[in-house]
Amino acid sequence: MVKGPVRELLFAPISWLPHAELCYSTKSSEEQRYVLHLDYQRKNDNFRNLKWANYEEMLAHRQKSPHIIKARINQREHNLKSDGRKLTVTKSYSSKGIIIR
């Protein structure tokens, strides 16, 4: 059981928190249900780094994320190396126990 000021903070209404209050004040429509981290760092909850967005804005923001861009590059490199196949001829032979001579 959590007691004292920590309990009050954990169970406080979201509008009570200072950074959330400032973020809530910039909400322009009810369609904006998602909070974006402008620098793509989830641990940075500074109110200057947060922005309300609707679903389409959230998807567009996510596509610009450095993590997504890096994952796309890695996937592209993997597909070029494996020639688009998940299983190479050598791997299929080794999984079947066939010795290549």
Side-chain angles (χ1 to χ4, degrees):
M1 172 113 181
V2 181
K3 295 182 181 179
V6 175
R7 183 185 186 329
E8 293 173 12
L9 185 63
L10 286 175
F11 298 104
I14 199 105
S15 61
W16 180 78
L17 302 172
H19 67 277
E21 185 176 331
L22 290 171
C23 190
Y24 268 91
S25 66
T26 61
K27 192 173 181 181
S28 61
S29 74
E30 289 300 318
E31 292 179 3
Q32 294 178 327
R33 297 178 183 167
Y34 305 95
V35 177
L36 305 179
H37 290 260
L38 298 177
D39 66 353
Y40 302 100
Q41 300 295 323
R42 290 184 183 176
K43 291 184 179 182
N44 184 1
D45 286 334
N46 188 334
F47 71 93
R48 291 178 191 92
N49 185 45
L50 301 177
K51 176 186 171 189
W52 282 103
N54 60 22
Y55 185 73
E56 291 80 19
E57 292 170 339
M58 186 260 307
L59 289 179
H61 180 74
R62 187 168 59 180
Q63 294 303 317
K64 296 176 189 173
S65 170
H67 305 292
I68 299 292
I69 292 170
K70 185 178 179 182
R72 267 197 225 117
I73 291 170
N74 290 342
Q75 183 181 21
R76 202 174 300 136
E77 289 173 359
H78 172 74
N79 287 342
L80 288 173
K81 287 179 188 175
S82 64
D83 193 28
R85 298 186 202 108
K86 291 184 179 178
L87 191 62
T88 63
V89 174
T90 309
K91 287 182 182 177
S92 68
Y93 285 154
S94 64
S95 67
K96 292 180 181 180
I98 301 172
I99 299 172
I100 303 172
R101 294 181 189 197

